Amino acid sequence: MSADLNKTATPLAQEVGCYAEAPVPSSLRGIFACQWMHVLPADGVGRPLLVVPDGSIDLQWIDGVVRVAGPDRQAHAEALRPGAQVLGLRFRPGAAAAWLGIDMSALADRRVALGDLWDARAAACLAADSPSQFLQRVAALSQPAANLAPDGAMAEAFRLLQSGMAPEDSPLRWLSERLQQPERTLRRRFVKHFGYGPQTLARLLRYQRFLQLARAEPSTPLAQLAAEAGYADQPHLARESRRLAGRPPSALPRDQASTTLTFGQRDA
């Protein structure tokens, strides 16, 4: 992301176009948590959109190009053409490193074409002219890799941090006690599977809790939402919102309705 980007003036990706999520076909459920599609308006001006970090890693098809997105530690500006279609497959926590064959620390805060990670022949297996064709080819490619299940300890660590129970000042120690793993080992595994340490992931997941609460409870005061999400107080939330979304929480959309997915959803 450009250092001189005015994040406050840059619209959030969720505010532009149509976005929807759906389950992945059954053959992909061991590796991917969900599929999502974002379609930008054809009459847009093509200005950058701001993507808020959410603790996830995605395999994406964008107008025929396949890439890996994330893991992000900060807001990321995306410049996509008007009318662009993006189909994303969200990796389950702890699944991306094994499936892609690379430590996630090498991809932190980056968008990398799959052809730059795999050899040309392997990457060509996922070349597709449409989102549905891309999904079919990922499913076909994943069949021999069914044993590449998510790292169980890392999936559990993600779940524990997502619960919001970890203390803010020492999530690594807290996880070490519950998973019965040395802190050094746990930190190394976190960097491999998530691209950063437990404290960063805990921060991102806490902010996502706030965003979910804000959408579900649009009339609830921000101070109450901050407490429910796990912040010390409303100023704490405000500081984090400016760091992760480039704007105060009062400027975030809170009235989003759910969208029904219609882009060829099928259970394989």
Side-chain angles (χ1 to χ4, degrees), residues 135-169:
L135 191 64
Q136 292 168 3
R137 293 189 175 183
V138 173
L141 182 64
S142 296
Q143 293 297 334
N147 61 327
L148 297 179
D151 182 292
M154 292 297 95
E156 177 65 6
F158 186 96
R159 187 192 69 78
L160 288 169
L161 291 181
Q162 199 171 42
S163 73
M165 300 298 292
E168 182 182 359
D169 59 343

Short mmCIF file of all heavy atoms in Angstrom, two decimals, residues 135-169:
data_model
loop_
_atom_site.label_atom_id
_atom_site.label_comp_id
_atom_site.label_asym_id
_atom_site.label_seq_id
_atom_site.Cartn_x
_atom_site.Cartn_y
_atom_site.Cartn_z
N LEU A 135 -13.31 -22.76 -9.68
CA LEU A 135 -13.70 -23.56 -8.53
C LEU A 135 -13.59 -25.05 -8.85
O LEU A 135 -13.10 -25.85 -8.03
CB LEU A 135 -15.12 -23.20 -8.12
CG LEU A 135 -15.62 -23.74 -6.78
CD1 LEU A 135 -14.81 -23.16 -5.63
CD2 LEU A 135 -17.10 -23.41 -6.60
N GLN A 136 -14.02 -25.45 -10.03
CA GLN A 136 -13.94 -26.85 -10.43
C GLN A 136 -12.49 -27.32 -10.51
O GLN A 136 -12.15 -28.43 -10.09
CB GLN A 136 -14.62 -27.05 -11.79
CG GLN A 136 -16.13 -26.84 -11.76
CD GLN A 136 -16.73 -26.76 -13.15
OE1 GLN A 136 -16.03 -26.90 -14.16
NE2 GLN A 136 -18.03 -26.52 -13.22
N ARG A 137 -11.60 -26.46 -10.99
CA ARG A 137 -10.19 -26.86 -11.14
C ARG A 137 -9.48 -26.92 -9.79
O ARG A 137 -8.61 -27.76 -9.58
CB ARG A 137 -9.49 -25.91 -12.11
CG ARG A 137 -10.04 -26.07 -13.51
CD ARG A 137 -9.25 -25.33 -14.56
NE ARG A 137 -9.78 -25.64 -15.89
CZ ARG A 137 -9.27 -25.19 -17.02
NH1 ARG A 137 -8.21 -24.38 -17.00
NH2 ARG A 137 -9.80 -25.54 -18.18
N VAL A 138 -9.85 -26.05 -8.87
CA VAL A 138 -9.29 -26.14 -7.53
C VAL A 138 -9.73 -27.44 -6.87
O VAL A 138 -8.95 -28.13 -6.22
CB VAL A 138 -9.71 -24.94 -6.67
CG1 VAL A 138 -9.25 -25.13 -5.22
CG2 VAL A 138 -9.12 -23.66 -7.22
N ALA A 139 -11.01 -27.80 -7.06
CA ALA A 139 -11.52 -29.04 -6.49
C ALA A 139 -10.79 -30.24 -7.07
O ALA A 139 -10.42 -31.17 -6.34
CB ALA A 139 -13.02 -29.15 -6.74
N ALA A 140 -10.55 -30.23 -8.38
CA ALA A 140 -9.85 -31.34 -9.02
C ALA A 140 -8.41 -31.43 -8.53
O ALA A 140 -7.87 -32.52 -8.29
CB ALA A 140 -9.89 -31.18 -10.54
N LEU A 141 -7.77 -30.28 -8.37
CA LEU A 141 -6.39 -30.26 -7.90
C LEU A 141 -6.29 -30.71 -6.46
O LEU A 141 -5.30 -31.33 -6.05
CB LEU A 141 -5.82 -28.84 -8.03
CG LEU A 141 -4.36 -28.63 -7.63
CD1 LEU A 141 -3.43 -29.41 -8.57
CD2 LEU A 141 -4.00 -27.16 -7.66
N SER A 142 -7.31 -30.44 -5.66
CA SER A 142 -7.27 -30.74 -4.23
C SER A 142 -7.55 -32.21 -3.93
O SER A 142 -7.26 -32.67 -2.83
CB SER A 142 -8.27 -29.87 -3.48
OG SER A 142 -7.92 -28.51 -3.57
N GLN A 143 -8.08 -32.94 -4.88
CA GLN A 143 -8.41 -34.34 -4.59
C GLN A 143 -7.21 -35.16 -4.13
O GLN A 143 -7.27 -35.85 -3.12
CB GLN A 143 -9.05 -35.00 -5.83
CG GLN A 143 -10.43 -34.45 -6.20
CD GLN A 143 -11.46 -34.67 -5.12
OE1 GLN A 143 -11.36 -35.60 -4.33
NE2 GLN A 143 -12.46 -33.81 -5.06
N PRO A 144 -6.04 -35.09 -4.81
CA PRO A 144 -4.90 -35.86 -4.34
C PRO A 144 -4.31 -35.32 -3.04
O PRO A 144 -3.54 -35.99 -2.39
CB PRO A 144 -3.88 -35.72 -5.49
CG PRO A 144 -4.63 -35.17 -6.63
CD PRO A 144 -5.74 -34.38 -6.05
N ALA A 145 -4.66 -34.07 -2.69
CA ALA A 145 -4.08 -33.44 -1.51
C ALA A 145 -5.04 -33.46 -0.33
O ALA A 145 -4.97 -32.63 0.56
CB ALA A 145 -3.70 -32.00 -1.84
N ALA A 146 -5.96 -34.44 -0.33
CA ALA A 146 -6.94 -34.50 0.74
C ALA A 146 -6.31 -34.70 2.11
O ALA A 146 -6.90 -34.39 3.14
CB ALA A 146 -7.94 -35.63 0.47
N ASN A 147 -5.08 -35.24 2.13
CA ASN A 147 -4.40 -35.45 3.41
C ASN A 147 -3.76 -34.17 3.93
O ASN A 147 -3.22 -34.15 5.03
CB ASN A 147 -3.33 -36.53 3.27
CG ASN A 147 -2.26 -36.16 2.26
OD1 ASN A 147 -2.54 -35.50 1.27
ND2 ASN A 147 -1.04 -36.61 2.49
N LEU A 148 -3.79 -33.09 3.16
CA LEU A 148 -3.21 -31.82 3.60
C LEU A 148 -4.21 -31.06 4.46
O LEU A 148 -4.66 -29.97 4.13
CB LEU A 148 -2.78 -30.98 2.40
CG LEU A 148 -1.68 -31.58 1.52
CD1 LEU A 148 -1.38 -30.65 0.36
CD2 LEU A 148 -0.41 -31.83 2.33
N ALA A 149 -4.60 -31.68 5.56
CA ALA A 149 -5.56 -31.07 6.47
C ALA A 149 -4.91 -29.91 7.22
O ALA A 149 -3.69 -29.85 7.34
CB ALA A 149 -6.08 -32.12 7.45
N PRO A 150 -5.72 -28.99 7.73
CA PRO A 150 -5.15 -27.90 8.52
C PRO A 150 -4.34 -28.42 9.70
O PRO A 150 -4.64 -29.48 10.25
CB PRO A 150 -6.39 -27.13 8.99
CG PRO A 150 -7.45 -27.46 8.00
CD PRO A 150 -7.17 -28.87 7.57
N ASP A 151 -3.31 -27.67 10.08
CA ASP A 151 -2.56 -28.00 11.29
C ASP A 151 -3.51 -27.90 12.47
O ASP A 151 -4.04 -26.84 12.78
CB ASP A 151 -1.40 -27.01 11.43
CG ASP A 151 -0.53 -27.29 12.62
OD1 ASP A 151 -1.02 -27.13 13.77
OD2 ASP A 151 0.65 -27.67 12.45
N GLY A 152 -3.73 -29.02 13.14
CA GLY A 152 -4.73 -29.07 14.20
C GLY A 152 -4.47 -28.11 15.34
O GLY A 152 -5.39 -27.45 15.84
N ALA A 153 -3.21 -28.00 15.76
CA ALA A 153 -2.88 -27.10 16.85
C ALA A 153 -3.10 -25.65 16.47
O ALA A 153 -3.58 -24.84 17.27
CB ALA A 153 -1.43 -27.32 17.29
N MET A 154 -2.78 -25.30 15.22
CA MET A 154 -2.97 -23.93 14.78
C MET A 154 -4.45 -23.61 14.59
O MET A 154 -4.90 -22.48 14.85
CB MET A 154 -2.20 -23.68 13.48
CG MET A 154 -0.69 -23.72 13.65
SD MET A 154 -0.04 -22.43 14.76
CE MET A 154 0.04 -23.32 16.34
N ALA A 155 -5.22 -24.57 14.13
CA ALA A 155 -6.66 -24.36 14.02
C ALA A 155 -7.27 -24.13 15.40
O ALA A 155 -8.14 -23.25 15.57
CB ALA A 155 -7.32 -25.56 13.34
N GLU A 156 -6.81 -24.88 16.39
CA GLU A 156 -7.31 -24.69 17.75
C GLU A 156 -6.84 -23.36 18.33
O GLU A 156 -7.60 -22.67 19.02
CB GLU A 156 -6.84 -25.84 18.64
CG GLU A 156 -7.22 -25.74 20.11
CD GLU A 156 -8.72 -25.79 20.36
OE1 GLU A 156 -9.50 -26.02 19.40
OE2 GLU A 156 -9.13 -25.57 21.52
N ALA A 157 -5.60 -22.97 18.04
CA ALA A 157 -5.10 -21.68 18.50
C ALA A 157 -5.94 -20.55 17.93
O ALA A 157 -6.28 -19.58 18.64
CB ALA A 157 -3.64 -21.51 18.10
N PHE A 158 -6.29 -20.63 16.65
CA PHE A 158 -7.13 -19.62 16.02
C PHE A 158 -8.48 -19.56 16.73
O PHE A 158 -8.99 -18.47 17.03
CB PHE A 158 -7.31 -19.96 14.54
CG PHE A 158 -8.04 -18.90 13.75
CD1 PHE A 158 -7.34 -17.95 13.03
CD2 PHE A 158 -9.43 -18.88 13.70
CE1 PHE A 158 -8.01 -16.97 12.29
CE2 PHE A 158 -10.10 -17.91 12.97
CZ PHE A 158 -9.38 -16.96 12.26
N ARG A 159 -9.07 -20.73 16.99
CA ARG A 159 -10.37 -20.77 17.66
C ARG A 159 -10.31 -20.13 19.05
O ARG A 159 -11.19 -19.39 19.44
CB ARG A 159 -10.85 -22.22 17.76
CG ARG A 159 -12.28 -22.36 18.30
CD ARG A 159 -12.59 -23.79 18.66
NE ARG A 159 -11.82 -24.22 19.83
CZ ARG A 159 -12.13 -23.90 21.09
NH1 ARG A 159 -13.19 -23.14 21.34
NH2 ARG A 159 -11.41 -24.34 22.09
N LEU A 160 -9.24 -20.42 19.77
CA LEU A 160 -9.10 -19.87 21.11
C LEU A 160 -8.96 -18.34 21.06
O LEU A 160 -9.58 -17.63 21.87
CB LEU A 160 -7.88 -20.48 21.79
CG LEU A 160 -8.02 -21.95 22.23
CD1 LEU A 160 -6.67 -22.53 22.64
CD2 LEU A 160 -9.03 -22.06 23.37
N LEU A 161 -8.17 -17.83 20.14
CA LEU A 161 -8.03 -16.38 20.03
C LEU A 161 -9.33 -15.74 19.54
O LEU A 161 -9.69 -14.64 19.96
CB LEU A 161 -6.89 -16.03 19.08
CG LEU A 161 -5.48 -16.36 19.57
CD1 LEU A 161 -4.44 -15.94 18.53
CD2 LEU A 161 -5.18 -15.70 20.91
N GLN A 162 -10.04 -16.44 18.69
CA GLN A 162 -11.30 -15.91 18.18
C GLN A 162 -12.34 -15.78 19.29
O GLN A 162 -13.25 -14.96 19.22
CB GLN A 162 -11.82 -16.81 17.06
CG GLN A 162 -12.84 -16.19 16.14
CD GLN A 162 -13.11 -17.08 14.94
OE1 GLN A 162 -13.22 -18.30 15.06
NE2 GLN A 162 -13.21 -16.48 13.76
N SER A 163 -12.21 -16.59 20.32
CA SER A 163 -13.16 -16.55 21.43
C SER A 163 -13.06 -15.26 22.23
O SER A 163 -13.98 -14.91 22.98
CB SER A 163 -12.92 -17.74 22.37
OG SER A 163 -11.73 -17.56 23.13
N GLY A 164 -11.93 -14.56 22.12
CA GLY A 164 -11.75 -13.32 22.85
C GLY A 164 -11.36 -13.50 24.30
O GLY A 164 -11.35 -12.53 25.07
N MET A 165 -10.98 -14.69 24.70
CA MET A 165 -10.65 -14.96 26.10
C MET A 165 -9.18 -14.70 26.43
O MET A 165 -8.82 -14.59 27.61
CB MET A 165 -10.98 -16.42 26.43
CG MET A 165 -12.45 -16.79 26.24
SD MET A 165 -13.55 -15.84 27.32
CE MET A 165 -13.07 -16.50 28.92
N ALA A 166 -8.34 -14.59 25.43
CA ALA A 166 -6.90 -14.42 25.69
C ALA A 166 -6.62 -13.03 26.26
O ALA A 166 -7.19 -12.04 25.80
CB ALA A 166 -6.10 -14.61 24.41
N PRO A 167 -5.73 -12.93 27.26
CA PRO A 167 -5.36 -11.61 27.78
C PRO A 167 -4.60 -10.81 26.73
O PRO A 167 -3.78 -11.37 26.00
CB PRO A 167 -4.48 -11.95 28.99
CG PRO A 167 -3.95 -13.31 28.71
CD PRO A 167 -5.03 -14.02 27.95
N GLU A 168 -4.86 -9.52 26.67
CA GLU A 168 -4.25 -8.69 25.63
C GLU A 168 -2.74 -8.64 25.73
O GLU A 168 -2.04 -8.62 24.72
CB GLU A 168 -4.81 -7.27 25.70
CG GLU A 168 -4.26 -6.36 24.61
CD GLU A 168 -4.78 -4.94 24.73
OE1 GLU A 168 -5.57 -4.67 25.64
OE2 GLU A 168 -4.38 -4.11 23.90
N ASP A 169 -2.21 -8.65 26.96
CA ASP A 169 -0.77 -8.45 27.13
C ASP A 169 0.05 -9.72 26.96
O ASP A 169 1.26 -9.65 26.77
CB ASP A 169 -0.48 -7.83 28.50
CG ASP A 169 -0.98 -8.70 29.65
OD1 ASP A 169 -1.82 -9.60 29.39
OD2 ASP A 169 -0.55 -8.49 30.80
#
